[in-house]
Amino acid sequence: HNFSFVKPKDSPMLVACLALAPLVLGQSPVRQKTAGWVYIADGPQERWGEVPQSWSDIAFDELDILLVGPLGLQQCDWTPRQETSFPWHPIYRCQKGSWDDGNWGVNASLKNRFEKLLQMARQQNGNMEILVAQWWSNDLMQPLVSWGGNLGALGNSSAQLYGYASAVKAFIDKYKLNGYVLDYEATNVVSWYPALLQALSAAFRAGSGPAPKIAISPATGTYLMGTNNLT
């Protein structure tokens, strides 16, 4: 893919214009789509309840796709047990009640910002797709941070993977979103990510209506091998 970047209306948000390669077998090229990221945890945490004034400059009407982060696990026990084999990282319990009851999504301290962003975006562009991103951190030993938990806090048992997937699907359904993005870098780089994507696919295809989209955004292609210097 080829990427070009523009800054609409002097906005702090960069918009990536994805020039998709023509399909094989003589099919017509896919129409270019414009996608933008909004990181909702900007600024000091004590001000996360406020909506940044700069958001009024975002050109939502110029976007086809809006990607929003950071989101992640929300009900993890901050007292972990220690893994007994390599890489000896902490293992957390990230479920309270049923998995689909608020165990994944936006942190309570960012909920006002998140909901305001959705309102602003949809008022300006009702045709735009909105995808939410599982975020990451840089410390394998501390996968729980102020906005929530990354994949470093999640085990890879079938119960955990399918529970996680059902929690993501419940959040997407609640806010009528269009899909999920795995921001695949740092502590989110795990060897079992294919199994996680399969669990997400199964959960997203269950029920009626169109299935939400699943995307993966690797910081580098080598991460698709399932490991990096952290994991």
Side-chain angles (χ1 to χ4, degrees):
H1 295 70
N2 299 314
F3 296 89
S4 59
F5 295 90
V6 296
K7 184 183 289 187
K9 297 184 181 178
D10 296 323
S11 166
M13 180 187 69
L14 291 177
V15 174
C17 180
L18 282 65
L20 301 178
L23 299 177
V24 296
L25 303 178
Q27 297 181 19
S28 300
V30 177
R31 184 182 70 84
Q32 291 186 357
K33 291 191 175 184
T34 302
W37 272 105
V38 173
Y39 181 76
I40 61 174
D42 275 332
Q45 187 173 356
E46 59 268 21
R47 300 191 64 178
W48 281 1
E50 305 172 12
V51 176
Q53 186 175 358
S54 60
W55 284 10
S56 61
D57 296 326
I58 298 175
F60 293 111
D61 57 335
E62 297 182 16
L63 298 178
D64 297 297
I65 301 169
L66 177 64
L67 310 171
V68 183
L71 284 82
L73 293 157
Q74 294 302 325
Q75 300 197 40
C76 296
D77 184 346
W78 282 73
T79 304
R81 63 179 176 83
Q82 197 74 15
E83 183 56 78
T84 57
S85 60
F86 181 82
W88 300 291
H89 58 76
I91 298 296
Y92 295 80
R93 176 176 172 81
C94 289
Q95 176 190 5
K96 293 182 179 178
S98 63
W99 263 105
D100 57 2
D101 186 21
N103 284 289
W104 190 91
V106 66
N107 189 268
S109 60
L110 291 164
K111 183 178 179 181
N112 180 58
R113 276 192 180 185
F114 177 76
E115 293 181 346
K116 182 63 176 179
L117 178 67
L118 296 186
Q119 179 185 6
M120 294 172 63
R122 287 167 170 163
Q123 284 178 346
Q124 293 188 37
N125 187 349
N127 296 319
M128 178 175 55
E129 294 186 332
I130 302 175
L131 283 71
V132 285
Q134 168 63 64
W135 218 251
W136 51 275
S137 70
N138 283 315
D139 190 342
L140 183 65
M141 302 304 289
Q142 295 184 352
L144 303 180
V145 289
S146 53
W147 50 260
N150 54 63
L151 294 188
L154 182 70
N156 64 338
S157 70
S158 178
Q160 288 170 309
L161 296 182
Y162 282 87
Y164 173 94
S166 68
V168 173
K169 178 62 160 56
F171 184 85
I172 287 175
D173 288 347
K174 176 181 178 179
Y175 284 100
K176 297 180 173 59
L177 303 167
N178 301 99
Y180 163 98
V181 180
L182 173 54
D183 195 349
Y184 198 62
E185 55 186 298
T187 50
N188 277 349
V189 178
V190 290
S191 60
W192 40 265
Y193 79 92
L196 175 64
L197 296 179
Q198 289 175 349
L200 288 165
S201 178
F204 287 10
R205 292 172 187 271
S208 59
K213 294 177 172 62
I214 300 173
I216 183 169
S217 176
T220 172
T222 59
Y223 284 3
L224 297 178
M225 299 292 291
T227 187
N228 63 8
N229 62 330
L230 291 176
T231 60

